[in-house]
């Protein structure tokens, strides 16, 4: 019976494809593009189980089993980089994720259209400056002669080199990340808020609901599903986007490696400074991807359990 | 019918889109040139009228990866000297651009995908990947140099001769200096003598204590009211080149992490960085930092920022690379002339002579005599390799060197006695825009600039100081004994071991712990990476090879 259903299902799928064949043909180039440029190169992951030989290439390089993964377990610096990546990513998620939501609500609720646009533009602008440029600005601000230290001294404090201070480096990462991204990330929430029917607000106001009540019972339910989807996406990108390579690479120095070195910066340094084996760095990359997938699936499940729609 | 036609059009459009997408993305090079530019076409047409016994009668195209070669080669048609060289060897250059930001990544990528250009420039000595290139035939060995006497001479300097693997050389290092004594130039400290005098200092410093006292006086006096700081540095990589000179000079490194030298202590060979002389040097550095004699922002400094700070009176001293050439170009030409138009720079800025350390010696930094190297793809033919060797040999020959340094005899310069006198005022760089590319392709020969005849150092007073300085160094300092073969020795652990001493120095400098504790932590990290194993391996191999 089950077989029959399956057969019928397959047949109907084929029929559907035939029926919409031109749409499928239009999708075909994209599928081929993905196959060639995104999936075919994945054969490179086999390098994680090989030692790279320049003459033989990826296919011809000799297999060495799990040796690279064993080295990962004994590599103290990599272990530290893993820890830093996870910690920086999670703290960034916790500290940054709510801020654009709050900003969007504040802008939407408490400002007129023109003011909202002005604020939004000002706050979005830093997103368009690269970390290379921004880091130069941050280094200047944080230097001994910089404005930050001048203010500290003005209020009776003592100037210090914050970017080389192990205790100060991570908070600087979190704060500067929020500063750069808060405006940009709030756009999608503002869009969601704008999609809510204004009549709902008017009706609530007529019924005597104050601003907070309107926020709680109209704005938040309207935002919830967007927040859930973005949360899943953010969790999925934790290991790469979270501990942003550009930001850390341009701001860190050896005195803060212990708190700042992430998997990406570590791989970069070992690959191009000391010339590590490509197989080893591939193995590290795979491990990172596996963790990302696990985080993504977990976040999706949690969101679904909370009654929202997940990614899949 | 109309509907069918529109569907057909959609189908054709999709197919075309796909085809163009694939051709755009997949339009790789079938040759071994990596990402080339269209500039190759701008090379002059190779002369067809070559006589029959000309060894270079077969025209040849040579692909070269070099820093910013695209812009260099774009001017090759306007350069008569370049044309002369191309015609002489019957070659055409196919440029493969690299930049200072991406060269290491690009070359490693080309090496791993079999797309290396015929010649490529990189600084890879001692790295794991360079060792693999040699082992796995990625780079071609240099042939017998009997016919190339100028090139053969190159390999006589001990640190270059020591690069051979099983008796074969695989690279032509880009030589800067004739001996390691000249390394003194590559970590030079400039200081503001005018501000020192204003702060009451009357004698140029000769010892570490005098140097520290001078910095202290300048910082405290702050004569120009700019909140002046102490010593700053062009790059953190340079720190070791100065602070190890306090009694542990063999620990000085070029910053690559692979050029560490070995000393024998308590009957055992160890990397000089881990000598018992390390702690006093570290303590001296830390004291300087704690007493505000070092720029507090030194960890994040960049060359231009440091040069600005020094030339604008915000730093009392500057640790910089590039010797007097850099001093002339970066400090004098670009900054000093504008900041202090009425002050003679050589009266206001002095170059610190190597200080007398606690061991009573005047130590200076000790590096290699070269920086970066030419490699040749393992895929090129013997004939092409011979042609490249001929080109390299010519550039190193007295004739080639003079042509590329001074231009054409009796056109650009004339000889009067033992002097070369330039004719006319047109800049050689404008007249022969690619001449320096050809010179630097093979060798920097920075030492040639330390000659009153050579116009590279533009300010004549700085040039005079430069010549006197290196003469003084050669007469008054001596290089401690060390065996460069140990630096190049290959063992399983050593091949993967790097000592980035500048990172360690920074950690100690900025640590809040006592110096010995901070250093112990660093040593512990190195031990976890296999320091003891590496030491044992090197000692065993050195004993085996009679180097102990």
């Amino acid at each position: 019976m089950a077989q029959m259903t399956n057969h019928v299902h397959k047949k109907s799928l084929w029929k559907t494809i035939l029926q919409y064949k031109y749409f499928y043909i239009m999708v075909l180039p994209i599928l081929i593009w993905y196959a060639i440029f995104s999936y075919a190169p994945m054969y490179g992951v086999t390098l994680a189980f090989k030692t790279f030989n320049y003459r033989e290439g990826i296919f011809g390089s000799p297999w060495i089993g799990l040796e690279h993964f064993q080295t990962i377990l004994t590599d103290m610096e990599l272990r530290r980089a893993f820890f830093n990546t996870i910690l920086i990513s999670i703290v960034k998620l916790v500290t940054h994720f709510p801020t654009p939501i709050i900003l969007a609500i504040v802008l939407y609720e408490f400002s007129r259209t023109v003011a909202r646009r002005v604020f939004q533009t000002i706050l979005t602008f830093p997103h368009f400056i690269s970390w290379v440029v921004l880091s130069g600005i941050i280094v200047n601000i944080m230097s001994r002669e910089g404005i930050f230290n001048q203010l500290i001294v003005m209020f009776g404090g003592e100037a210090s080199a914050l970017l080389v201070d192990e205790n100060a480096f991570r908070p600087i990462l979190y704060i500067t990340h929020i500063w750069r991204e808060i405006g940009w990330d709030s756009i999608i929430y503002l869009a969601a808020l704008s999609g809510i029917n204004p009549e709902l607000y008017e009706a609530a106001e007529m019924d005597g609901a104050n601003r907070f009540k309107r926020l709680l019972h109209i704005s938040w339910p309207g935002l919830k599903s967007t927040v859930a989807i973005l949360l899943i996406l953010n969790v999925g990108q934790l290991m790469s986007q979270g501990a942003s390579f550009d930001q850390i690479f341009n701001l860190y120095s050896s005195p803060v490696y212990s708190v700042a070195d992430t998997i990406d910066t570590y791989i970069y340094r070992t690959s191009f400074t000391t010339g590590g084996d490509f197989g080893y760095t591939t193995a590290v990359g795979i491990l990172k991807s596996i963790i990302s997938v696990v985080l993504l699936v977990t976040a999706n499940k949690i969101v679904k359990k909370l009654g929202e729609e997940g990614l899949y | 019918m109309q509907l069918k036609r529109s569907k057909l059009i959609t189908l054709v459009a999709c197919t075309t889109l796909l085809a163009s997408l694939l051709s755009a993305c997949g339009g790789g090079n079938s040759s071994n040139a990596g990402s080339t530019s269209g500039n190759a076409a701008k090379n002059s047409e190779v002369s067809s009228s070559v006589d029959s016994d000309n060894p270079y009668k077969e025209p040849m195209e040579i692909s070269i990866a070099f820093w910013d070669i695209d812009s260099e080669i774009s001017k090759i048609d306007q350069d008569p000297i370049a044309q002369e060289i191309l015609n002489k060897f019957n070659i055409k250059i196919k440029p493969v651009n690299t930049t200072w930001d991406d060269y290491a990544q690009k070359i490693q990528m080309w090496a791993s995908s079999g797309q290396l250009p015929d010649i490529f420039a990189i600084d890879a000595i001692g790295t794991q990947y360079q060792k693999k290139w040699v082992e796995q035939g990625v780079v071609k060995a240099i042939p017998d140099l009997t016919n190339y006497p100028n090139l053969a001479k190159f390999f006589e300097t001990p640190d270059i001769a020591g690069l051979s693997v099983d008796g074969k050389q695989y690279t032509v290092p880009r030589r800067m200096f004739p001996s390691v004594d000249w390394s003194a130039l590559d970590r030079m400290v400039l200081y503001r003598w005018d501000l020192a005098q204003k702060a009451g200092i009357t004698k140029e410093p000769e010892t570490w204590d005098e140097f520290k006292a001078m910095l202290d006086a300048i910082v405290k006096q702050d004569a120009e009211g700019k909140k002046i700081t102490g010593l700053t540095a062009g790059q953190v990589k340079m720190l070791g080149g100065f602070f190890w000179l306090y009694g542990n000079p063999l620990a000085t490194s070029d910053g690559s992490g692979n050029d560490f030298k070995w000393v024998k202590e308590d009957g055992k060979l160890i990397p000089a960085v881990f000598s018992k002389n390390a702690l006093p040097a570290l303590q001296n550095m830390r004291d300087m930092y704690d007493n505000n004699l070092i720029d507090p922002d030194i960890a994040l400094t960049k060359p231009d920022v440091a040069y600005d700070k020094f030339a604008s009176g915000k730093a009392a001293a500057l640790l910089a690379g590039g010797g007097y050439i850099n001093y002339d170009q970066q400090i004098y030409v670009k900054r000093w002339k504008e900041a202090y138009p009425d002050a003679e720079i050589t009266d206001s800025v002095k170059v610190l002579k190597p200080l007398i350390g606690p061991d009573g010696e005047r130590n200076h930094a000790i590096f290699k005599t070269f920086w970066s190297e030419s490699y040749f793809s393992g895929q090129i033919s013997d004939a092409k390799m011979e042609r490249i060797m001929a080109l390299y040999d010519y550039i190193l020959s007295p004739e080639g060197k003079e042509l590329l340094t001074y231009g054409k005899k009796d056109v650009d310069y004339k000889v009067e006695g033992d002097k070369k006198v330039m004719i006319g005022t047109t800049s050689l760089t404008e007249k022969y825009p690619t001449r320096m590319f050809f010179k630097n392709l093979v060798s920097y020969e920075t030492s040639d600039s330390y000659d009153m005849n050579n116009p590279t150092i533009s300010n004549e007073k700085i040039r005079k100081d430069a010549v006197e300085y290196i003469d003084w160094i050669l007469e008054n300092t001596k290089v401690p004994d060390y065996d460069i073969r140990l630096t190049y020795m290959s063992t399983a652990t050593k091949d993967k071991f790097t000592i980035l001493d500048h990172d360690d120095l920074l950690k100690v400098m900025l640590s809040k712990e006592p110096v010995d504790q901070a250093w112990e932590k660093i040593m512990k990290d190195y031990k976890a990476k296999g320091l003891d194993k590496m030491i044992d391996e090197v000692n065993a191999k050195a004993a085996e090879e009679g180097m102990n």
Side-chain angles (χ1 to χ4, degrees):
Chain A
M1 187 65 191
Q3 255 184 349
M4 226 175 122
T5 321
N6 210 5
H7 184 69
V8 170
H9 176 73
K10 268 185 189 169
K11 212 174 171 184
S12 65
L13 176 69
W14 182 239
K15 268 189 176 173
T16 317
I17 290 174
L18 274 182
Q19 189 184 347
Y20 297 107
K21 53 185 177 295
Y22 293 107
F23 291 111
Y24 278 95
I25 288 169
M26 284 169 77
V27 170
L28 202 60
I30 308 298
L31 290 178
I32 293 172
W33 192 91
Y34 264 97
I36 294 173
F37 297 108
S38 296
Y39 286 94
M42 278 195 189
Y43 78 94
V45 296
T46 55
L47 253 188
F49 308 95
K50 294 177 168 195
T51 180
F52 185 69
N53 184 303
Y54 286 93
R55 287 298 259 194
E56 307 295 333
I58 295 175
F59 277 123
S61 294
W63 294 94
I64 56 159
L66 295 171
E67 204 177 290
H68 290 315
F69 292 93
Q70 283 163 354
T71 315
I72 286 175
L73 294 177
T74 56
D75 188 335
M76 299 292 288
E77 281 186 62
L78 181 62
R79 207 181 292 176
R80 189 182 68 185
F82 257 115
F83 172 76
N84 284 338
T85 310
I86 290 169
L87 183 74
I88 291 172
S89 304
I90 290 174
V91 178
K92 255 190 191 176
L93 183 76
V94 172
T95 54
H96 173 72
F97 189 75
T99 56
I101 302 170
I102 296 166
L103 177 74
I105 291 171
V106 169
L107 283 180
Y108 190 77
E109 290 286 328
F110 299 101
S111 62
R112 290 167 190 276
T113 320
V114 178
R116 191 188 307 163
R117 279 188 192 145
V118 171
F119 280 121
Q120 208 182 325
T121 310
I122 292 169
L123 293 167
T124 307
F125 181 68
H127 173 80
F128 296 100
I129 310 173
S130 76
W131 272 117
V132 179
V133 177
L134 274 187
S135 65
I137 298 168
I138 294 165
V139 168
N140 275 332
I141 292 173
M142 299 286 173
S143 72
R144 198 62 78 100
E145 289 294 304
I147 192 162
F148 185 81
N149 271 314
Q150 283 181 13
L151 285 173
I152 297 277
V153 173
M154 198 191 289
F155 290 106
E158 203 176 313
S160 59
L162 290 167
L163 281 169
V164 290
D165 186 329
E166 286 181 351
N167 298 321
F169 190 80
R170 282 191 194 136
I172 291 173
L173 282 188
Y174 306 140
I175 292 165
T176 52
H177 177 73
I178 291 173
W179 172 60
R180 184 173 187 259
E181 302 298 350
I182 188 169
W184 179 256
D185 290 354
S186 68
I187 290 174
I188 201 154
Y189 300 116
L190 276 167
L193 285 170
S194 306
I196 298 171
N197 188 351
E199 284 174 11
L200 290 174
Y201 286 102
E202 284 161 20
E205 211 174 338
M206 297 276 279
D207 291 345
N210 60 20
R211 253 186 215 279
F212 182 72
K213 294 261 179 191
R214 293 202 298 265
L215 192 153
L216 200 66
H217 298 293
I218 304 170
S219 301
W220 176 242
L223 266 182
K224 238 171 34 171
S225 56
T226 311
V227 171
I229 294 290
L230 286 176
L231 181 66
I232 298 169
L233 290 174
N234 269 277
V235 171
Q237 293 172 337
L238 259 189
M239 298 291 282
S240 46
Q241 302 285 332
S244 157
F245 173 84
D246 287 355
Q247 183 191 18
I248 296 171
F249 185 75
N250 285 297
L251 287 174
Y252 82 161
S253 57
S254 58
V256 292
Y257 281 170
S258 59
V259 295
D261 213 7
T262 59
I263 297 170
D264 288 340
T265 55
Y266 175 76
I267 289 178
Y268 181 87
R269 283 195 296 120
T270 46
S271 297
F272 297 116
T273 311
T274 57
D277 191 292
F278 292 143
Y280 182 63
T281 44
T282 310
V284 177
I286 286 186
L287 218 63
K288 206 178 103 171
S289 302
I290 291 170
I291 295 171
S292 291
V293 170
V294 170
L295 286 172
L296 182 85
V297 172
T298 315
N300 198 52
K301 277 205 166 167
I302 292 170
V303 166
K304 274 186 157 179
K305 284 216 162 165
L306 292 173
E308 295 296 329
E309 276 199 40
L311 269 183
Y312 54 89
Chain B
M1 190 67 192
Q2 186 68 33
L3 188 69
K4 270 194 174 177
R5 184 183 291 172
S6 67
K7 283 175 179 174
L8 193 66
I9 290 169
T10 313
L11 183 62
V12 171
C14 287
T15 317
T16 315
L17 180 71
L18 175 66
S20 58
L21 192 69
L22 289 177
S23 64
C25 298
N29 252 313
S30 57
S31 75
N32 60 350
S35 74
T36 58
S37 91
N39 283 332
K42 289 188 178 177
N43 272 279
S44 145
E45 282 307 313
V46 172
S47 164
S48 55
S49 59
V50 281
D51 61 56
S52 56
D53 51 349
N54 183 345
Y56 314 126
K57 65 183 170 195
E58 203 56 50
M60 205 170 263
E61 185 178 73
I62 296 171
S63 55
I64 302 175
F66 198 79
W67 299 281
D68 301 324
I69 190 173
D70 264 356
S71 66
E72 295 282 354
I73 296 298
S74 67
K75 301 168 215 153
I76 206 163
D77 281 345
Q78 296 118 52
D79 185 335
I81 287 183
Q83 294 307 318
E84 198 177 305
I85 294 173
L86 293 178
N87 285 332
K88 184 178 175 72
F89 294 97
N90 202 7
I91 53 171
K92 205 163 122 179
I93 291 173
K94 185 173 184 179
V96 182
N97 206 55
T98 58
T99 69
W100 291 100
D101 292 329
D102 66 14
Y103 70 99
Q105 295 92 316
K106 272 186 174 172
I107 287 165
Q108 285 190 56
M109 193 179 72
W110 294 332
S112 56
S113 56
Q115 289 190 312
L116 280 171
D118 300 332
I119 302 174
F120 59 96
I122 190 172
D123 53 326
I125 295 284
T127 58
Q128 288 181 58
Y129 54 86
Q130 185 247 5
K131 287 183 177 119
K132 284 185 182 169
W133 290 348
V134 171
E135 275 167 28
Q136 296 168 8
V138 176
V139 290
K140 200 172 175 79
I142 288 166
D144 174 48
L145 294 175
T146 315
N147 296 328
Y148 312 108
N150 302 300
L151 196 49
K153 256 193 205 168
F154 222 74
F155 292 94
E156 286 170 8
T157 318
D159 64 337
I160 295 182
L163 292 172
S164 69
V165 180
D166 299 330
K168 282 185 177 174
Q169 292 286 359
Y170 288 85
T171 180
V172 178
R174 208 157 276 115
R175 188 173 65 184
M176 296 196 296
F177 308 128
S179 73
V180 287
D181 240 333
W182 287 68
S183 312
L185 291 167
D186 230 24
R187 293 295 179 268
M188 233 168 59
V189 173
L190 308 176
Y191 63 90
R192 290 290 301 266
W193 179 234
D194 53 344
L195 300 181
Q197 284 174 308
K198 279 183 191 165
I201 302 292
T202 52
K203 180 180 172 289
E204 290 180 41
E206 299 236 3
T207 65
W208 281 87
D209 285 342
E210 285 171 5
F211 180 59
K212 288 190 276 188
M214 183 190 75
L215 291 180
D216 191 48
I218 298 175
V219 171
K220 283 188 177 146
Q221 175 82 11
D222 192 17
E224 294 182 345
K226 290 178 179 168
K227 291 185 184 163
I228 194 166
T229 183
L231 173 80
T232 192
Q235 289 178 52
V236 289
K237 266 189 179 183
M238 293 173 178
L239 295 177
F242 181 62
F243 290 110
W244 287 127
L245 300 183
Y246 190 86
N248 196 21
L250 284 182
T252 51
S253 143
D254 62 7
S256 65
N258 304 302
D259 72 331
F260 50 93
K261 293 172 277 291
W262 293 69
V263 289
K264 200 165 195 177
E265 263 184 21
D266 303 326
K268 211 174 192 182
L269 289 163
I270 56 165
V273 172
F274 304 117
S275 152
K276 52 191 167 203
N277 294 325
L279 269 182
L282 295 167
Q283 188 64 55
N284 175 60
M285 174 190 73
R286 177 74 164 271
D287 290 344
M288 286 179 72
Y289 184 77
D290 290 346
N291 290 313
N292 295 322
L293 306 183
I294 297 175
D295 178 5
D297 296 322
I298 201 162
L300 293 160
T301 191
K302 289 193 166 67
D304 282 336
V305 176
Y307 300 152
D308 284 343
K309 266 188 184 173
F310 177 72
S312 64
K314 286 184 177 170
L318 167 73
L319 170 62
Y324 280 80
I325 300 172
N326 208 26
Y327 168 20
D328 179 60
Q329 288 167 7
Q330 295 296 338
I331 306 298
Y332 170 67
V333 176
K334 284 195 186 167
R335 294 170 170 86
W336 188 269
K337 275 204 294 193
E338 273 186 37
Y340 299 92
D342 302 324
E344 181 62 63
I345 190 166
T346 46
D347 293 337
S348 307
V349 172
K350 296 274 179 206
V351 176
L352 190 71
K353 289 202 172 97
L355 298 168
I356 299 168
D359 50 358
E361 297 286 345
R362 282 186 189 273
N363 297 311
H364 61 71
I366 301 149
F367 305 137
K368 295 174 284 205
T369 56
F370 57 88
W371 185 82
S372 82
E373 318 92 49
S374 292
Y375 292 89
F376 311 96
S377 167
Q379 294 173 20
I380 61 176
S381 66
D382 289 344
K384 190 175 261 192
M385 190 65 178
E386 293 289 341
R387 189 79 58 95
I388 293 170
M389 292 296 101
L391 172 72
Y392 271 49
D393 190 70
Y394 174 74
I395 290 171
L396 291 171
S397 70
E399 183 193 332
K401 255 179 158 181
E402 290 202 354
L403 182 69
L404 292 170
T405 308
Y406 301 101
K408 294 184 177 184
K409 197 178 169 189
D410 297 326
V411 175
D412 302 302
Y413 72 96
K414 59 185 175 185
V415 179
E416 285 177 4
D418 60 347
K419 277 189 175 177
K420 290 186 179 70
V421 180
M422 302 308 288
I423 303 169
T425 51
T426 315
S427 140
L428 287 185
T429 310
E430 275 174 35
K431 209 168 168 186
Y432 308 115
T434 46
R435 87 185 206 290
M436 287 312 285
F437 160 73
F438 277 98
K439 192 168 182 260
N440 294 341
L441 172 67
V442 180
S443 144
Y444 291 124
E445 300 298 350
T446 315
S447 53
D448 290 353
S449 312
Y450 291 75
D451 180 331
M452 287 312 289
N453 280 333
N454 190 311
T456 308
I457 298 171
S458 68
N459 181 314
E460 278 197 38
K461 285 191 173 171
I462 294 179
R463 202 187 310 162
K464 187 169 170 286
D465 279 0
V467 175
E468 284 172 6
Y469 182 82
I470 193 61
D471 285 347
W472 188 92
I473 291 287
L474 293 170
E475 268 178 38
N476 295 285
T477 62
K478 74 176 182 66
V479 175
D481 285 337
Y482 67 98
D483 192 336
I484 192 70
R485 291 175 300 170
L486 294 165
T487 301
Y488 294 146
M489 183 180 276
S490 171
T491 77
T493 312
K494 185 172 175 289
D495 288 352
K496 292 177 187 166
F497 207 90
T498 48
I499 300 175
L500 296 168
D501 65 303
H502 51 275
D503 280 351
D504 304 326
L505 287 171
L506 262 187
K507 277 183 204 161
V508 173
M509 192 192 288
L510 299 166
S511 170
K512 289 178 177 77
E513 290 172 315
V515 169
D516 53 348
Q517 283 176 27
W519 187 237
E520 204 164 304
K521 262 190 189 168
I522 289 166
M523 291 276 281
K524 212 173 141 192
D525 283 349
Y526 278 114
K527 279 177 193 280
K529 286 183 203 163
L531 174 63
D532 293 332
K533 201 175 168 206
M534 176 183 69
I535 290 174
D536 289 343
E537 285 173 4
V538 168
N539 276 276
K541 199 167 177 185
E544 228 178 80
E545 295 179 6
M547 281 187 243
N548 244 340

